[in-house]
């Protein structure tokens, strides 16, 4: 940050078109979401061999499967023969094609019945035999990289380039795994998921998550629970040690307390303080002593983002007959809806012809990260 005072010391945001231009969004798709490791779900979403998910990752249809060996693998949902989509609903013409996931846990193209194993290898193509002109091993599904951390799986839509650049998930995650090493993320399970369709660019959501200057005006209930969030405009928050709650409170619930036990392995601070991580490009984690709220951003276009909010708890708690996550879920749902409301206001306002760019106040310094993050991948924005 500049040491000057006055308006000139405020850092400019990205130019406003970065938040609504289809051209910028397309560049972000190619240079960010198709290059970085994109968090797309939890390992628990594919519980058994033969499990298959069809996911839309920034407009690319992706298959994620658990193979018969139990490994997770991902591929583009595209037949290597003529490019037909392999797995899809056929609702428009009221026709049912014979394709997709078979009872034998293979993936069959409905068009000419080329059939693939869940690891992506081509098993058979009718009336074509393995010969000099046709080597089955050269017709595996287009691969998608898949790596896991903390029970989450991440996809890389350009796995060849990632391997060439030695761009692994762990190089992308940086210090976060070490910082969160006592949270048993891999053991946790999703007890509740809420999906929100937010009419705002993904960067507005990220920037909002990354600063607490807005907490006082937007989140009165949250600031009642965590008074530090509104003190000095949310500046000087000690995210390294965690943020303390009001006296007597220790978790993000309506009452600030819970009947659930703390997650096993946490240290003394983690049992009473709140912490969070923003993992570019699309995973936000908010960690309390007894649960974790995980937000997966699914960009839907330049001005829409689907927010998948998962509430993770320890299986020991979920198994209890009295388990009820609503104390955490209801509190988060309130805070979330407050955030989405103001994010949509920003999306509306910055399209005004007079608003060429915005500013970051000094206490929003972390939010400026997204400008540096985007500039590094798209080139200088010259705001
Ligand atoms: Fe907020």
């Amino acid at each position: 940050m500049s040491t000057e005072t006055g308006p000139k010391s405020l850092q400019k945001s990205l130019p406003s078109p970065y938040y609504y231009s289809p051209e910028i969004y397309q560049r972000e798709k190619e240079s960010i979401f198709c290059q970085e490791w994109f968090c797309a779900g939890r390992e628990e979403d594919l519980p058994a061999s033969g499990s298959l998910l069809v996911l839309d990752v920034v407009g690319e249809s992706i298959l994620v499967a658990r193979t018969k060996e139990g490994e997770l693998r991902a591929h583009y949902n595209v037949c290597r023969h003529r490019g037909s989509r392999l797995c899809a609903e056929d609702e428009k013409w009221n026709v049912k094609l014979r394709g997709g996931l078979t009872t034998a846990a293979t993936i069959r193209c409905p068009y000419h019945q080329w059939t693939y194993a869940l690891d992506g290898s081509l098993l058979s193509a009718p009336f074509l035999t393995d010969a000099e002109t046709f080597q089955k091993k050269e017709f595996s599904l287009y691969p998608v990289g898949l790596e896991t951390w903390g029970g989450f799986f991440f996809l890389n839509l350009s796995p060849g380039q990632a391997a060439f650049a030695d761009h692994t998930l762990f190089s992308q995650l940086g210090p976060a795994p070490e910082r969160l090493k006592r949270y048993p993320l891999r053991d946790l399970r999703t007890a509740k998921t809420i999906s929100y369709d937010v009419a705002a660019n993904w960067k507005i959501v990220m920037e909002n998550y990354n600063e607490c200057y807005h907490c006082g005006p937007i989140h009165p209930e949250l600031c009642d629970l965590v008074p530090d969030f509104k003190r000095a405009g949310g500046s000087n928050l000690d995210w390294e040690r965690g943020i303390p709650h009001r006296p007597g409170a220790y978790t993000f619930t309506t009452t600030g307390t819970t009947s659930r036990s703390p997650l096993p392995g946490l240290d003394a601070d983690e049992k009473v303080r709140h912490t969070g991580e923003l993992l570019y490009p699309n995973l936000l984690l908010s960690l309390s002593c007894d649960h974790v709220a995980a937000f997966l951003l699914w960009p839907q276009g330049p001005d829409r983002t689907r927010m998948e909010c998962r509430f993770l708890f320890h299986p020991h708690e979920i198994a209890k007959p009295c388990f009820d996550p609503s104390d955490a879920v209801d509190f988060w749902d309130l805070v979330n809806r407050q955030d989405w409301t103001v994010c949509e206001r920003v999306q509306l306002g910055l399209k005004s012809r007079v608003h060429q760019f915005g500013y970051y106040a000094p206490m929003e310094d972390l939010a400026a990260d997204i400008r540096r993050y985007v500039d590094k991948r798209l080139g200088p924005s010259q705001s």
Side-chain angles (χ1 to χ4, degrees):
M1 293 293 288
S2 163
T3 53
E4 293 175 59
T5 55
K8 283 184 181 169
S9 69
L10 299 182
Q11 297 275 307
K12 286 180 184 174
S13 72
L14 289 165
S16 295
Y18 271 63
Y19 297 89
Y20 55 79
S21 151
E23 290 75 25
I24 294 286
Y25 181 74
Q26 191 60 30
R27 286 171 59 197
E28 290 176 336
K29 173 182 171 179
E30 289 304 325
S31 301
I32 297 176
F33 298 114
C34 292
Q35 297 295 328
E36 305 294 333
W37 291 90
F38 183 97
C39 185
R42 298 272 302 167
E43 293 179 72
E44 62 183 301
D45 301 344
L46 297 116
S49 293
S51 296
L52 182 76
L53 295 177
V54 184
L55 301 175
D56 184 307
V57 180
V58 285
E60 297 290 331
S61 186
I62 305 297
L63 301 174
V64 183
R66 193 176 288 282
T67 66
K68 64 175 187 288
E69 291 79 22
E71 294 177 352
L72 292 184
R73 299 288 292 272
H75 324 282
Y76 283 83
N77 186 10
V78 176
C79 183
R80 286 297 308 275
H81 175 211
R82 297 284 290 279
S84 168
R85 187 160 284 186
L86 298 160
C87 301
E89 302 298 323
D90 299 305
E91 291 169 355
K92 181 179 174 187
W93 302 102
N94 195 25
V95 165
K96 183 83 187 104
L97 298 178
R98 289 186 303 117
L101 183 66
T102 69
T103 52
T106 60
I107 300 166
R108 182 176 296 149
C109 179
Y111 201 179
H112 303 90
Q113 304 285 290
W114 283 32
T115 302
Y116 303 85
L118 294 183
D119 67 5
S121 57
L122 178 63
L123 295 172
S124 63
F127 309 110
L128 291 175
T129 49
D130 234 353
E132 215 164 87
T133 53
F134 176 74
Q135 300 282 336
K136 273 196 292 194
K137 65 177 188 297
E138 293 172 8
F139 291 86
S140 297
L141 295 176
Y142 298 107
V144 171
L146 189 151
E147 293 189 17
T148 62
W149 166 75
F152 296 96
F153 67 83
F154 296 72
L155 304 177
N156 191 300
L157 272 59
S158 304
Q161 286 163 263
F164 181 76
D166 202 20
H167 180 48
T168 64
L169 173 62
F170 280 86
S171 67
Q172 179 176 303
L173 292 174
E178 175 64 19
R179 279 205 289 257
L180 302 181
K181 64 185 176 189
R182 282 177 294 278
Y183 290 88
L185 290 172
R186 186 149 195 242
D187 298 337
L188 303 186
R189 293 293 177 270
T190 305
K192 172 82 176 175
T193 300
I194 306 179
S195 189
Y196 302 92
D197 185 11
V198 185
N201 181 274
W202 68 279
K203 298 187 293 300
I204 291 176
V205 179
M206 289 292 246
E207 290 179 311
N208 177 71
Y209 186 82
N210 221 7
E211 54 89 358
C212 220
Y213 189 24
H214 75 275
C215 290
I218 302 297
H219 302 305
E221 300 83 0
L222 177 60
C223 290
D224 184 47
L225 178 65
V226 185
D228 277 10
F229 279 167
K230 66 179 174 188
R231 205 164 284 147
S235 56
N236 306 316
L237 293 170
D238 185 359
W239 286 106
E240 286 297 321
R241 196 179 160 201
I243 315 299
H245 302 75
R246 69 166 179 252
Y250 51 85
T251 183
F252 267 31
T253 60
T254 311
T255 61
T257 65
T258 181
S259 60
R260 288 179 294 274
S261 301
L263 300 172
L266 301 186
D267 70 15
D269 275 342
E270 289 160 346
K271 285 179 183 169
V272 294
R273 288 172 175 246
H274 189 81
T275 195
E277 287 284 345
L278 185 149
L279 298 164
Y280 286 109
N282 79 317
L283 176 62
L284 317 174
L285 294 176
S286 278
L287 304 105
S288 295
C289 68
D290 64 299
H291 72 275
V292 174
F295 299 84
L296 280 64
L297 281 81
W298 294 86
Q300 303 291 300
D303 54 6
R304 274 187 59 221
T305 306
R306 183 169 72 81
M307 292 299 295
E308 178 182 338
C309 180
R310 288 174 174 245
F311 298 90
L312 309 177
F313 294 85
H314 198 278
H316 289 160
E317 293 295 331
I318 295 174
K320 291 178 179 173
C322 60
F323 175 72
D324 179 2
S326 61
D327 57 346
V329 171
D330 292 349
F331 185 74
W332 268 111
D333 184 47
L334 170 66
V335 174
N336 289 342
R337 287 182 290 106
Q338 291 165 337
D339 278 326
W340 313 150
T341 303
V342 78
C343 285
E344 292 188 348
R345 289 281 191 105
V346 174
Q347 185 72 37
L348 289 171
L350 59 67
K351 290 181 93 166
S352 167
R353 59 188 286 274
V354 295
H355 191 79
Q356 304 303 308
F357 49 80
Y359 290 102
Y360 297 115
M363 64 287 272
E364 297 176 278
D365 190 29
L366 280 172
D369 280 357
I370 198 140
R371 181 192 46 187
R372 291 191 278 271
Y373 182 86
V374 170
D375 277 358
K376 190 174 167 190
R377 288 157 181 84
L378 266 63
S381 53
Q382 298 174 330
S383 65

